[in-house]
Amino acid sequence: MNSFIIGMESQNVQKIVIGALSLAAFAILWELLAIIVNNSFYLPRFSSVLSAFFSVIQSSFFFNDVAISLYHFIIGFAFALIIGIPIGMLMGWFPVLDKALNPIVEIFRPIPPLAWIPFAIIWLKLTHQAAGFIIFMGMVFPIIINTYSGFKNIPKIYVEAAKVLGSVSSIKLIKNVAIPAASPMILSGIKTAMGVGWMCLAASEMFGVSDSGIGYKIWFYYGIQAMDYVVVYMLILGFIGLLLDFLFRYFIQNRVLKWQKGTVV
Amino acid sequence: MGDLIIENLSKEFKKGSNEFLALKDINLSVKNGEFVTILGPSGCGKTTLLRIIAGLETYSSGTATLDGELITGPGPKRGMVFQEYSLFPWKTVLGNVMFGPLMQNFSKDEAEAKAMTYLNLVGLSEFKNSYPYELSGGMKQRVAIARALANEPEIILMDEPFGALDAQTRNNLQNELLRIWQEEKRTIIFVTHSVDEAVFLSDRIVILSKRPGTIKKIIEVSIPRPRDRTRPEENAIRNEVLRLLDTNENCEID
């Protein structure tokens, strides 16, 4: 057991060392390549990105950018949950609603969320809600689909066991059996949706919904040809996406699904 | 209370455009506190019969009543222990056993008290905070028995509950079930395809014929308990049962 743990630790150390070396090599190559290219619009230097990074995180607008982007994201997320989960549940539980709603979902699902930008502008004007709407369109379908298939695949034995114990009505069965039994699927749908929604974020802020936000800043700095700042905001976008994924996995998924043996979601 | 009467009950199944008779003219009455086993080769409708009593399956003609009330759907007076592991994996042992009482609108404290009573009865109270994946197969079925008992049903239906267990665990659980049955004095209807199990456990053995399932014979087992698995008295009944089953050819379809 002890040697097993030591083995795990040395493996982790190895992983960190190799990862760090690889990143350092990447940064050096980048810097060299940028020196050769010698055009900060085509390829900003790593060193100038690094100094741009420090000036961004020390700036007063950085916090505002993150807050506005999270605000857009939360608008889309909240509506996707409020609308997506009930639709998925109803479709998964009632065969009639499955038949009725399935064609509609299947028509709209493959449309790329960014294709909704014109209607977002027409319906919601250039507001935060318009950005939220694009993110919503990216998030709602993974949530619907996963909730739906989670509900479709509830083992019959749990439903029957609940029935003989006196939980007979649809409402009771949905609450006591379907939702907990489907929760691993629903949560993994939400996780997927968070990834998709975050990817939609940059574009949703590029059509003029606000004058701050991470996506907006990427577009703004591109406009003034400050490509080192563009890279900084790109990296921030990626990093916060990663952080959201991590927080969701460790604080929501693992906590809710602790009854699952060896949770791998 | 706990008197089950089944009269002229038949069950037709539809498979595509084909109809077939699964059960035909079943007449059976089970008295309160009795331990009745339903025995027959697989695919002969014994699980179907049990599921009809549970209210999980409809019947085509005849009647099934419990204490004079027609059975039309599942209800808490009839508890069931399934062959498959049916504990809710998202609930702890205690949560599983409390589920029935909570559905009967008992308060949380009352439900917990009932659950603890029956967890004590099956000897698993110290595992109350475990999740089902942490339990062995035999422990899971003991919790399932406690969960069925916690609703204080008139009748407990058991569908090959020990079928998936190894022989040693199975014997232990048979003994334990008899102890619980003698303490609780509830009616038990137990489906099995093990002749040994039927002879060891029951007051009466109902032998079903091949499809369509009809009652071929009901054998009284009047050997006092505790029974032995090898004595001549038990062997005589075992031989009789085996002879009756032997004249049945195998059922083709399950």
Side-chain angles (χ1 to χ4, degrees):
Chain A
M1 193 65 199
N2 259 338
S3 66
F4 176 71
I5 289 171
I6 290 164
M8 289 280 287
E9 269 174 2
S10 79
Q11 262 198 338
N12 277 339
V13 169
Q14 208 181 29
K15 197 172 144 190
I16 291 165
V17 169
I18 292 175
L21 286 174
S22 166
L23 278 176
F26 180 77
I28 292 167
L29 273 175
W30 174 359
E31 185 75 20
L32 288 174
L33 199 62
I35 290 170
I36 294 165
V37 170
N38 196 23
N39 181 333
S40 66
F41 190 57
Y42 268 81
L43 183 63
R45 287 191 191 184
F46 174 71
S47 52
S48 62
V49 169
L50 208 59
S51 68
F53 174 74
F54 287 114
S55 82
V56 165
I57 57 167
Q58 284 162 10
S59 69
S60 54
F61 46 79
F62 171 66
F63 179 76
N64 198 36
D65 287 328
V66 173
I68 289 292
S69 284
L70 285 177
Y71 177 51
H72 293 156
F73 182 71
I74 286 166
I75 293 173
F77 194 8
F79 278 94
L81 289 176
I82 292 166
I83 293 170
I85 288 179
I87 289 180
M89 285 180 179
L90 291 171
M91 284 174 66
W93 191 260
F94 299 105
V96 182
L97 289 175
D98 184 8
K99 290 184 188 108
L101 295 177
N102 208 9
I104 301 173
V105 169
E106 285 308 308
I107 284 172
F108 285 99
R109 189 170 66 96
I111 297 173
L114 304 186
W116 288 94
I117 288 177
F119 275 110
I121 295 171
I122 292 169
W123 289 339
L124 298 163
K125 313 295 179 237
L126 294 175
T127 58
H128 295 303
Q129 286 73 21
F133 176 73
I134 299 304
I135 293 161
F136 164 79
M137 290 312 294
M139 295 188 85
V140 73
F141 290 107
I143 291 176
I144 290 177
I145 298 299
N146 269 47
T147 306
Y148 166 79
S149 54
F151 263 52
K152 273 268 160 193
N153 296 314
I154 296 161
K156 199 172 141 219
I157 184 87
Y158 300 142
V159 176
E160 291 191 336
K163 279 183 177 173
V164 295
L165 289 167
S167 172
V168 184
S169 68
S170 266
I171 292 175
K172 277 189 171 177
L173 287 173
I174 287 175
K175 178 171 166 276
N176 296 317
V177 179
I179 290 176
S183 59
M185 276 298 274
I186 296 173
L187 290 176
S188 93
I190 293 172
K191 194 165 102 75
T192 307
M194 286 172 73
V196 176
W198 196 251
M199 286 184 198
C200 295
L201 182 80
S204 79
E205 291 176 348
M206 286 184 184
F207 56 91
V209 295
S210 62
D211 54 8
S212 45
I214 303 170
Y216 167 79
K217 280 292 161 66
I218 291 175
W219 201 237
F220 169 80
Y221 284 116
Y222 161 72
I224 61 167
Q225 303 204 354
M227 297 312 286
D228 40 3
Y229 281 83
V230 170
V231 173
V232 168
Y233 273 97
M234 284 166 65
L235 292 174
I236 289 169
L237 199 58
F239 175 75
I240 296 178
L242 200 68
L243 192 69
L244 288 174
D245 187 76
F246 171 85
L247 292 175
F248 183 74
R249 220 166 348 149
Y250 282 84
F251 289 97
I252 312 256
Q253 262 181 332
N254 287 1
R255 201 161 286 186
V256 175
L257 302 181
K258 61 172 187 267
W259 51 271
Q260 276 192 320
K261 190 180 182 179
T263 310
V264 184
V265 190
Chain B
M1 298 300 265
D3 293 317
L4 178 80
I5 298 173
I6 295 171
E7 282 176 321
N8 303 320
L9 185 136
S10 295
K11 168 73 181 176
E12 261 176 36
F13 271 114
K14 286 197 179 96
K15 242 183 196 170
S17 57
N18 294 336
E19 286 181 7
F20 67 89
L21 208 52
L23 293 168
K24 193 182 163 209
D25 294 330
I26 302 290
N27 284 288
L28 176 67
S29 65
V30 178
K31 284 191 299 293
N32 185 28
E34 223 182 339
F35 197 132
V36 172
T37 300
I38 303 173
L39 191 69
S42 58
C44 292
K46 49 192 197 302
T47 292
T48 305
L49 180 57
L50 200 73
R51 289 172 57 84
I52 286 173
I53 300 168
L56 292 172
E57 203 90 63
T58 57
Y59 41 96
S60 312
S61 61
T63 56
T65 58
L66 178 65
D67 298 327
E69 254 178 74
L70 201 63
I71 292 171
T72 55
K77 279 186 171 184
R78 286 152 289 139
M80 182 139 174
V81 180
F82 296 85
Q83 178 178 16
E84 297 163 73
Y85 299 132
S86 65
L87 296 182
F88 304 128
W90 56 87
K91 284 188 180 293
T92 59
V93 164
L94 182 64
N96 266 281
V97 183
M98 281 171 70
F99 185 83
L102 285 176
M103 290 301 110
Q104 310 315 309
N105 295 322
F106 282 102
S107 74
K108 231 181 155 195
D109 288 344
E110 290 169 312
E112 187 171 341
K114 278 177 191 286
M116 286 314 294
T117 306
Y118 292 101
L119 279 175
N120 276 323
L121 188 69
V122 299
L124 286 178
S125 49
E126 63 194 282
F127 290 92
K128 63 176 184 168
N129 293 323
S130 302
Y131 282 95
Y133 79 83
E134 298 169 291
L135 306 179
S136 69
M139 288 159 89
K140 282 180 195 166
Q141 291 307 66
R142 273 149 70 191
V143 176
I145 291 168
R147 185 172 69 170
L149 284 167
N151 254 352
E152 292 168 352
E154 306 290 346
I155 195 164
I156 297 171
L157 309 165
M158 306 185 91
D159 184 11
E160 299 192 38
F162 309 145
L165 307 176
D166 63 86
Q168 181 65 44
T169 311
R170 192 176 178 141
N171 285 353
N172 289 343
L173 278 181
Q174 287 168 359
N175 285 321
E176 199 155 332
L177 179 63
L178 283 179
R179 173 182 64 78
I180 290 166
W181 171 69
Q182 278 158 348
E183 274 179 43
E184 289 285 312
K185 282 291 160 212
R186 286 180 209 282
T187 315
I188 294 183
I189 300 181
F190 190 104
V191 161
T192 182
H193 60 245
S194 157
V195 178
D196 288 3
E197 192 164 63
V199 174
F200 186 73
L201 292 174
S202 27
D203 294 324
R204 285 191 297 158
I205 303 174
V206 177
I207 297 174
L208 288 190
S209 71
K210 74 167 188 175
R211 228 183 51 228
T214 54
I215 293 181
K216 184 155 197 160
K217 193 167 183 190
I218 298 178
I219 294 173
E220 297 262 353
V221 186
S222 44
I223 306 166
R225 297 179 180 89
R227 289 177 190 161
D228 193 282
R229 295 175 196 271
T230 49
R231 277 185 313 200
E233 297 95 304
E234 282 88 352
N235 277 336
I237 291 180
R238 186 154 41 229
N239 288 337
E240 189 186 352
V241 173
L242 283 170
R243 206 170 49 247
L244 281 161
L245 288 173
D246 215 26
T247 54
N248 281 316
E249 289 143 42
N250 284 333
C251 287
E252 329 67 58
I253 304 167
D254 203 332

